[in-house]
Amino acid sequence: MTGVQFGELPYLKQERKVLSYVYSPDGKRAAAGLENGKLVVYSTSTWETLWTLEGHRYSVNSIVYSFDSNQMASGSIDGTVRLWNFQSGTCNHVLNGHGAGVTSVAYSPQGDHVASTSDDTTVRLWDVQTGKCRQICVGHTAEVLGVIFSPEGRQIASYGLDCTIRLWDIENEKCHHVLRGHEYGVESVTYSPQGAQVASCSEESTVRLWDVVTGECRHILTDHREWVSSVMFSPNGNQLVSAGFDTSARLWDVERGVCLHTLDGHSSIVHCVVFSSQGDLIASASFDKTVRLWDAKTGVCRQTLTGHSESVSSVVFSPKGDQLASISDDMTIRLWNVGTGMSRHISSRHNDPIRQVRSSPKGNHIVTCSDDRTVRIWDMETGLCRQTLRGHSSYVYSVSYSPQGDQIASASEDETVRLWNAETGACTYTLTGHHELVYSVAYSPQGDQLASASWDCTVRLWDVRSGECSHIMIGHVELVSGIVYSPNGNRILSYSNDSTLRIWDPKTGVCIHALAGHSDVIISVAYSPQGDRVVSGSRDTTARVWDVGTGECRLIFSHDAAVHSLAYSPKGNQIASGGEDGSVKVWDAGAGFCISTLAGHTNEVVKIVYSSRGDAVISASWDKSVRLWDVKPGRCRAVIQDYKDWVRDIDWIEASGVNYLVAGCSDGSVGMWQVKSNQGHCQVSLRWMHTRTELDVMDATIPNEQGLSQLDKQLLMQRGAASEPEHRLRALSKKVATMASMVSKAPSENVVEKSDMIVSEMEGKSQQRAEQMKDLFHRILHSGPGFW
């Protein structure tokens, strides 16, 4: 099958080019106007065609629903406006009068009038009930491209190629203002939600904001470098977004008239921009064949939606904002789920291996870092990538949230540490001073200090408010692999390839203890919850427990291979260790004996975490799996094996009494699972995953697909990925069984004839399945009753 993207709904293939598309205000229907004069109306629950409306002789340029969703108006190049009834799917009125093609139609908020514009330079106002023309607005000197009603319905604004916007008073049937200033044709006009302003854009690369009462131009927005094709106010009216031929969209502050964000990313003309109904998202459509979703607050691109084979001319949000439709010259309408459905998001995955995964203190966000030089912030509930933090010039090895959750620190091969604002994604400080790659960062429990460990053999302490280095801690003679603060923050533990651990005073930067005993590189460490002991794991196949106060080694645990991961239980009475041999061992932290050995992994166990209650251990391995273990009986409760590459890191999150597991992999994917326990049974369900944007499956189908909605099945069938329904296969199986009895009761030629009929049903479905069926019939025919 070809590229199925998570979040994509079945596309709507049309017989001709789509020129207009609109959702009904109640969101239950959607309609498309085609180049051949037809309108196709869909049910948005199933995307089945409700009606194909015929009557227009030429292209349908514009369609609009009445505010009660019971009626629709369409305008065509044939010079007519048609009013359609959605109870019956019939045409109520054909509105004749324009002397040239109709370019735009609009319903009044009250639903009693329809306005239309035409290449004949006029604007007409029609009575919906009678179908009669109530008013002809004359004044434009060239083609009129569009018309809109003011929010309260007392005024209409029309615009066109004569470079003007005209405001018409409906009651007085007079032109209230002629807004002049644009030097070329006006491409788009929109009212502010309050109705006090209109915004317009033009071919001369400007956007203008006008006062409706006085007709004065309040702001001229000039940042675009080329033709501006589309403008729209945010739902609250505080912002305005514009689309330009300069390949960018721009977000403006309406009150000040300044550009807040430039939305760069498209590689060709941006033809259309729209706000979601909630105002948190902006969608842009481009001639580069893509649609982009932007965060309206930060201007960051959240998703790039690909799939169209030609230019995308328009995008429309559904009324609830949970769905997006894109219209393209490829004669398709593509539907995208931008809501919170599980595993239904366009991938924003890392392009290279993920190094670390960490949850925010409140449990509402997840941060990851990767070899692709980025740090990404994910919404825990929806799986949306909220921010992509760019700035590092090489691999990012470590990432950490501040205890308050307002700041993120990242460490990179580029020898720097960066501090980021967790809300805006802005880099507040770049901390320089290390002379080799920085491999680990950690915040103090108080959040006022940051420690960084580097391959230059040093540990540095930084003031997070000023970005200044307060201490350089020297003592290790080989690269420093990692650092950990004690639970109360009065000690720092560092470990190194020199086979030692060092305990430091973070206030003075003085080394209190150098813990020597391991005979090889130290790979992992963990502090006890009480802060009085630390445990270290080494390539020498041992784990050692140290007294923080005295620096003495209290216990030694042994594996059959290197000890790669360690974790203390929440109470501090147990230690879990993971080895290169694939084993997980649980130890008594006081007495030092092995409580249980958890066998199941077939490769290195790289990370271990305890559940918040301490009753479960979660392990991640290079065998591409994550396992959940019950500590007391020592049995495996669940195995997650859906990963396509090594699992690099995991984190356990408890939010609102619900347990979640998040994992990052070497293929750049990140996913979150919900973990439920019920009467001794463990249920693990995928909440979301960002993996490859396409499912690379060749010459295969998904037989008897389950757990899919009708829309998903339709999508898979469109891509040739879904097989025949099970009931069809069962029916064919019955026919095969019938063949067995036929062998002994009918002549061979009759059996052959019957088998050919059955095989013909398989043709076009699956060549491989047809061949298997033929082989089966052949064996039945030649084996007789003994076949069964």
Side-chain angles (χ1 to χ4, degrees):
M1 65 181 170
T2 57
V4 175
Q5 300 194 55
F6 294 109
E8 184 183 358
L9 300 172
Y11 62 83
L12 307 177
K13 181 67 176 177
Q14 307 300 323
E15 57 189 61
R16 295 294 294 274
K17 184 177 175 181
V18 182
L19 300 180
S20 48
Y21 180 88
V22 65
Y23 281 95
S24 62
D26 60 13
K28 295 180 180 180
R29 291 183 291 267
L34 307 184
E35 195 175 36
N36 60 2
K38 294 181 181 179
L39 292 95
V40 185
V41 182
Y42 295 94
S43 165
T44 57
S45 60
T46 63
W47 290 106
E48 295 178 352
T49 301
L50 296 176
W51 294 289
T52 299
L53 308 178
E54 300 186 30
H56 286 296
R57 291 180 291 116
Y58 303 116
S59 302
V60 180
N61 285 335
S62 179
I63 48 179
V64 63
Y65 274 92
S66 62
F67 283 81
D68 61 7
S69 300
N70 290 327
Q71 197 176 68
M72 185 176 73
S74 58
S76 168
I77 288 181
D78 65 10
T80 68
V81 176
R82 286 178 176 260
L83 304 183
W84 307 88
N85 185 305
F86 276 113
Q87 300 300 322
S88 60
T90 58
C91 180
N92 286 347
H93 296 291
V94 180
L95 313 182
N96 291 294
H98 282 296
V102 177
T103 55
S104 177
V105 289
Y107 263 100
S108 65
Q110 295 77 19
D112 55 347
H113 291 97
V114 166
S116 60
T117 59
S118 170
D119 287 343
D120 67 4
T121 73
T122 69
V123 180
R124 287 180 177 253
L125 196 65
W126 309 86
D127 186 289
V128 169
Q129 292 296 324
T130 65
K132 293 182 179 180
C133 181
R134 172 184 162 178
Q135 182 180 345
I136 303 175
C137 304
V138 179
H140 285 287
T141 58
E143 294 93 327
V144 189
L145 300 181
V147 63
I148 53 172
F149 276 88
S150 62
E152 78 284 354
R154 297 177 182 175
Q155 190 182 74
I156 56 175
S158 59
Y159 56 95
L161 296 184
D162 64 0
C163 310
T164 69
I165 303 102
R166 289 178 177 261
L167 305 182
W168 307 86
D169 189 298
I170 294 176
E171 292 183 2
N172 298 329
E173 300 184 1
K174 293 181 180 180
C175 181
H176 186 58
H177 288 297
V178 180
L179 311 181
R180 305 181 189 275
H182 287 296
E183 299 174 5
Y184 295 97
V186 181
E187 289 293 313
S188 177
V189 169
T190 180
Y191 270 97
S192 65
Q194 298 77 20
Q197 294 185 77
V198 292
S200 60
C201 64
S202 169
E203 298 173 20
E204 87 273 3
S205 76
T206 65
V207 176
R208 289 176 178 255
L209 295 176
W210 309 84
D211 187 291
V212 168
V213 176
T214 64
E216 295 178 355
C217 182
R218 297 184 59 189
H219 294 294
I220 303 175
L221 314 179
T222 60
D223 284 16
H224 280 289
R225 300 183 301 277
E226 294 184 37
W227 187 333
V228 186
S229 54
S230 176
V231 287
M232 185 178 185
F233 277 99
S234 62
N236 62 13
N238 295 332
Q239 293 178 327
L240 183 80
V241 65
S242 58
F245 277 35
D246 58 5
T247 75
S248 74
R250 292 177 186 266
L251 193 61
W252 309 87
D253 182 289
V254 171
E255 182 64 29
R256 295 180 293 148
V258 297
C259 182
L260 299 174
H261 299 289
T262 300
L263 313 183
D264 281 323
H266 286 294
S267 58
S268 187
I269 292 168
V270 183
H271 196 260
C272 177
V273 284
V274 291
F275 272 98
S276 65
S277 55
Q278 294 80 10
D280 58 335
L281 286 176
I282 296 169
S284 57
S286 171
F287 283 14
D288 66 7
K289 307 175 187 178
T290 71
V291 174
R292 286 180 176 250
L293 290 177
W294 310 84
D295 189 298
K297 187 174 183 179
T298 64
V300 172
C301 180
R302 290 189 184 178
Q303 298 173 351
T304 301
L305 312 183
T306 61
H308 284 295
S309 58
E310 297 292 342
S311 301
V312 185
S313 57
S314 182
V315 282
V316 184
F317 274 104
S318 63
K320 292 182 180 179
D322 58 343
Q323 194 178 90
L324 183 74
S326 55
I327 296 90
S328 168
D329 290 349
D330 63 10
M331 296 192 295
T332 68
I333 302 165
R334 287 188 177 263
L335 307 167
W336 311 91
N337 189 335
V338 294
T340 60
M342 294 181 185
S343 303
R344 306 190 65 181
H345 307 291
I346 303 306
S347 176
S348 302
R349 73 182 184 104
H350 287 286
N351 297 320
D352 288 304
I354 289 176
R355 291 284 179 167
Q356 282 190 343
V357 176
R358 295 291 182 266
S359 59
S360 64
K362 294 180 180 179
N364 56 343
H365 291 101
I366 294 160
V367 64
T368 56
C369 63
S370 167
D371 287 359
D372 67 4
R373 301 178 294 179
T374 69
V375 175
R376 293 175 189 252
I377 303 172
W378 312 87
D379 186 287
M380 196 200 78
E381 179 65 26
T382 67
L384 288 174
C385 181
R386 295 294 185 186
Q387 303 277 359
T388 299
L389 313 182
R390 293 182 171 90
H392 285 296
S393 58
S394 191
Y395 299 166
V396 186
Y397 288 119
S398 180
V399 68
S400 179
Y401 262 103
S402 65
Q404 294 78 20
D406 58 342
Q407 194 178 71
I408 294 169
S410 58
S412 171
E413 190 179 50
D414 65 9
E415 303 177 6
T416 70
V417 174
R418 284 179 176 257
L419 302 183
W420 311 85
N421 184 303
E423 178 65 25
T424 66
C427 180
T428 54
Y429 291 109
T430 301
L431 312 181
T432 59
H434 284 296
H435 306 300
E436 293 284 349
L437 67 85
V438 187
Y439 202 71
S440 179
V441 285
Y443 277 95
S444 65
Q446 295 75 27
D448 58 341
Q449 192 179 71
L450 183 79
S452 59
S454 170
W455 282 20
D456 65 7
C457 307
T458 69
V459 175
R460 287 179 177 251
L461 299 183
W462 310 85
D463 187 302
V464 299
R465 291 164 295 190
S466 65
E468 298 292 328
C469 180
S470 57
H471 296 292
I472 304 174
M473 303 191 300
I474 300 173
H476 288 294
V477 295
E478 291 190 37
L479 63 88
V480 185
S481 302
I483 41 176
V484 183
Y485 274 90
S486 63
N488 61 10
N490 64 356
R491 294 290 183 267
I492 297 174
L493 175 69
S494 62
Y495 57 100
S496 167
N497 276 17
D498 64 11
S499 306
T500 70
L501 301 94
R502 288 180 176 262
I503 298 176
W504 309 84
D505 186 321
K507 292 182 178 180
T508 63
V510 173
C511 180
I512 298 171
H513 295 295
L515 313 181
H518 285 294
S519 59
D520 207 336
V521 171
I522 298 173
I523 305 172
S524 59
V525 298
Y527 250 104
S528 67
Q530 296 77 18
D532 57 341
R533 294 193 175 190
V534 295
V535 60
S536 57
S538 169
R539 283 184 185 167
D540 66 9
T541 75
T542 68
R544 290 174 176 256
V545 178
W546 309 84
D547 187 296
V548 172
T550 64
E552 296 177 355
C553 179
R554 296 296 188 186
L555 297 170
I556 301 176
F557 309 140
S558 294
H559 269 264
D560 293 332
V563 181
H564 276 264
S565 52
L566 293 162
Y568 265 97
S569 63
K571 293 181 180 179
N573 59 334
Q574 291 178 353
I575 297 171
S577 60
E580 193 177 62
D581 57 2
S583 68
V584 176
K585 293 178 179 286
V586 180
W587 310 85
D588 185 289
F593 62 85
C594 182
I595 298 172
S596 59
T597 299
L598 312 178
H601 286 297
T602 58
N603 208 329
E604 298 177 23
V605 178
V606 294
K607 183 66 179 289
I608 287 180
V609 294
Y610 268 91
S611 64
S612 53
R613 294 191 302 175
D615 58 341
V617 169
I618 303 91
S619 57
S621 169
W622 281 10
D623 66 6
K624 305 177 185 178
S625 75
V626 173
R627 289 177 176 260
L628 282 78
W629 310 86
D630 200 322
V631 172
K632 284 190 176 180
R635 63 184 176 91
C636 183
R637 302 181 64 190
V639 183
I640 303 172
Q641 302 182 94
D642 292 350
Y643 302 105
K644 305 303 180 185
D645 211 333
W646 300 341
V647 182
R648 288 266 188 164
D649 197 16
I650 55 174
D651 199 7
W652 183 268
I653 307 166
E654 184 175 349
S656 302
V658 182
N659 295 318
Y660 300 97
L661 173 70
V662 61
C665 300
S666 289
D667 65 355
S669 65
V670 58
M672 190 178 76
W673 306 77
Q674 183 173 331
V675 182
K676 293 181 180 179
S677 295
N678 185 18
Q679 297 179 349
H681 297 286
C682 183
Q683 180 182 358
V684 181
S685 57
L686 179 66
R687 291 301 304 271
W688 52 263
M689 179 171 283
H690 287 275
T691 180
R692 298 185 64 89
T693 58
E694 296 185 353
L695 303 179
D696 293 331
V697 182
M698 302 300 294
D699 301 323
T701 61
I702 303 175
N704 193 25
E705 63 278 356
Q706 297 189 18
L708 297 178
S709 68
Q710 188 61 39
L711 293 178
D712 289 330
K713 291 180 182 179
Q714 185 180 344
L715 172 62
L716 293 177
M717 290 293 288
Q718 285 179 347
R719 302 305 178 85
S723 63
E724 287 295 294
E726 180 67 22
H727 67 86
R728 286 292 307 276
L729 298 181
R730 283 199 299 268
L732 287 168
S733 297
K734 289 180 180 179
K735 293 182 180 181
V736 173
T738 304
M739 291 294 296
S741 61
M742 289 174 59
V743 167
S744 59
K745 298 177 182 178
S748 295
E749 59 270 17
N750 293 340
V751 176
V752 171
E753 182 181 357
K754 186 68 174 177
S755 69
D756 287 341
M757 292 175 59
I758 298 175
V759 169
S760 68
E761 295 188 33
M762 306 301 298
E763 298 293 349
K765 305 299 182 184
S766 167
Q767 186 62 36
Q768 181 181 4
R769 198 183 314 158
E771 293 298 327
Q772 290 173 347
M773 211 47 112
K774 289 178 181 178
D775 178 65
L776 180 58
F777 288 141
H778 185 270
R779 289 165 59 196
I780 294 173
L781 183 62
H782 288 81
S783 300
F787 177 82
W788 300 99

